[in-house]
Amino acid sequence: MTDGVLDLQRFFPYRLAVLAEEVSRTVAQLYADRFDMTRQEWRVLAAVAANRQMAAKEIAEYSTLDKMSVSRAVAALEAKALISREEDPADRRNKLLTLTPSGRAMYQKIVPLVRAREDYLLGALSPTERDMLDDILNKLTSRARDLRQRG
Amino acid sequence: MTDGVLDLQRFFPYRLAVLAEEVSRTVAQLYADRFDMTRQEWRVLAAVAANRQMAAKEIAEYSTLDKMSVSRAVAALEAKALISREEDPADRRNKLLTLTPSGRAMYQKIVPLVRAREDYLLGALSPTERDMLDDILNKLTSRARDLRQRG
DNA sequence: TATTGTTATACTCTATAACTATA
DNA sequence: TATAGTTATAGAGTATAACAATA
């Protein structure tokens, strides 16, 4: 183990990447195949649905997307009439976003589907494991952010 | 929680994706910024280093890459003289890959660096948590694969 | 005919940065 | 000058499929 060879199958960053990609695909099957949305569009839709009336910058922070991804996802969602945009009267640089009725309807169709997949996945774990996973994800995410900032 | 709104910050697939992306970046900082390798090239390098003399198909299985990604990563690594290719005399469709001395030297520079990052990340966890995380990753990966295959 | 590996193509994603309009 | 958002562009990743060589 501590010799010069690294076994990819036991290397945590690799295992995490494989799991996350697999999970991401199972969720994307729902919103991509059935509702023709990209991952970015889904995240923006979920962000606006959960918060109502957000500026693009707030969406970027909430969804961990950069502002360009948000901008393009918003344009795509607007073209599909799933969200609408209006200027913020208090600061006309901001474009406030809300779901249209059909955007909300689509969101409400997708949510139970992705929740069911989440439940199925987490159903592999005991309640104790689920609680611990919650802590573990928080701790690891915090460390990973430290690491990346410090280089 | 069970109303129609999904909080992205509490949604497991989202949290997992954010963590995995963050971890992937901290590791990529090492092999990309310092050694000018893509993620695919790093995975292929690691696969060949851990197994010696692999055919492209075996690399694809070991590294969870598809055969085209392997083919292009191999071409790139060969152009940098990090791996070499020879025909398998037993089946001339196979191209057996091995690291060149400079490929092995680069691998041996990278391994301690990525191991240090892995150790730092997992250092956020107690030994109990680390053991449990190991099980959890296995269980979730197995379920996610089930889910994706069944659609 | 089936398999290994390569090549072609097109689409998505990501990153940097220039640009606009407001402030 | 600084900020919110858009647009441009190029590089990297991914997916489908056609293809060549070999079995």
Side-chain angles (χ1 to χ4, degrees):
Chain A
M1 283 292 279
T2 314
D3 64 359
V5 175
L6 181 147
D7 181 354
L8 223 43
Q9 319 305 320
R10 294 187 189 175
F11 183 51
F12 170 68
Y14 172 77
R15 292 174 68 199
L16 181 67
V18 170
L19 171 61
E21 195 180 322
E22 205 67 45
V23 168
S24 172
R25 280 168 200 261
T26 72
V27 178
Q29 279 181 332
L30 300 173
Y31 57 73
D33 296 0
R34 302 193 199 178
F35 298 96
D36 196 31
M37 278 205 284
T38 66
R39 194 177 69 134
Q40 281 86 350
E41 288 166 36
W42 157 245
R43 281 201 188 171
V44 168
L45 191 79
V48 178
N51 296 279
R52 311 185 174 205
Q53 282 264 324
M54 294 180 97
K57 192 189 178 186
E58 297 169 311
I59 293 179
E61 284 158 9
Y62 181 82
S63 65
T64 334
L65 297 172
D66 58 34
K67 64 178 184 172
M68 291 164 329
S69 300
V70 171
S71 178
R72 266 172 315 194
V74 163
L77 291 169
E78 198 181 21
K80 297 178 196 169
L82 299 174
I83 70 173
S84 63
R85 241 190 312 204
E86 56 180 311
E87 276 187 351
D88 182 352
D91 181 342
R92 284 162 52 221
R93 289 174 304 183
N94 293 347
K95 309 292 156 60
L96 299 180
L97 303 165
T98 41
L99 295 190
T100 63
S102 69
R104 182 154 296 275
M106 181 174 290
Y107 175 75
Q108 282 169 351
K109 275 188 218 157
I110 295 175
V111 167
L113 297 174
V114 298
R115 274 243 175 80
R117 297 236 153 164
E118 179 188 33
D119 288 346
Y120 176 75
L121 285 169
L122 295 178
L125 309 179
S126 71
T128 308
E129 285 174 323
R130 275 201 290 278
D131 286 347
M132 201 168 270
L133 177 58
D134 197 68
D135 285 348
I136 289 173
L137 289 177
N138 287 336
K139 288 177 181 170
L140 291 176
T141 302
S142 155
R143 283 245 171 162
R145 289 192 167 132
D146 285 357
L147 254 189
R148 192 151 72 86
Q149 283 182 353
R150 298 194 332 224
Chain B
M1 284 294 278
T2 316
D3 64 357
V5 175
L6 182 148
D7 181 354
L8 223 43
Q9 319 306 320
R10 294 188 189 173
F11 183 52
F12 170 67
Y14 172 76
R15 293 174 67 198
L16 180 67
V18 170
L19 172 61
E21 195 179 322
E22 205 68 45
V23 168
S24 172
R25 279 168 200 261
T26 73
V27 178
Q29 278 181 331
L30 301 173
Y31 57 72
D33 296 359
R34 303 193 199 178
F35 299 95
D36 196 31
M37 278 205 283
T38 66
R39 195 177 67 132
Q40 281 85 349
E41 288 166 36
W42 156 245
R43 281 202 188 170
V44 168
L45 191 80
V48 178
N51 297 278
R52 310 185 175 204
Q53 282 263 327
M54 294 180 98
K57 192 188 178 186
E58 297 169 311
I59 294 179
E61 285 158 9
Y62 181 83
S63 65
T64 334
L65 296 172
D66 58 34
K67 64 178 182 172
M68 289 165 330
S69 301
V70 171
S71 179
R72 267 171 314 193
V74 164
L77 290 169
E78 198 180 22
K80 297 178 197 170
L82 299 173
I83 70 173
S84 65
R85 243 193 307 207
E86 56 179 312
E87 276 188 349
D88 182 351
D91 181 342
R92 284 163 50 224
R93 290 174 304 183
N94 293 347
K95 308 293 156 58
L96 298 180
L97 303 165
T98 43
L99 295 191
T100 63
S102 70
R104 182 154 296 276
M106 181 174 290
Y107 175 75
Q108 282 168 352
K109 275 188 217 156
I110 296 175
V111 167
L113 297 175
V114 299
R115 274 243 174 80
R117 299 235 152 166
E118 178 187 34
D119 289 345
Y120 176 75
L121 285 169
L122 296 179
L125 308 180
S126 71
T128 309
E129 284 175 323
R130 275 201 290 278
D131 286 347
M132 200 168 271
L133 177 57
D134 196 68
D135 286 346
I136 288 172
L137 288 177
N138 287 336
K139 287 177 181 171
L140 291 176
T141 301
S142 156
R143 282 243 171 164
R145 288 192 166 132
D146 284 357
L147 253 189
R148 191 152 73 86
Q149 283 181 352
R150 298 194 332 223

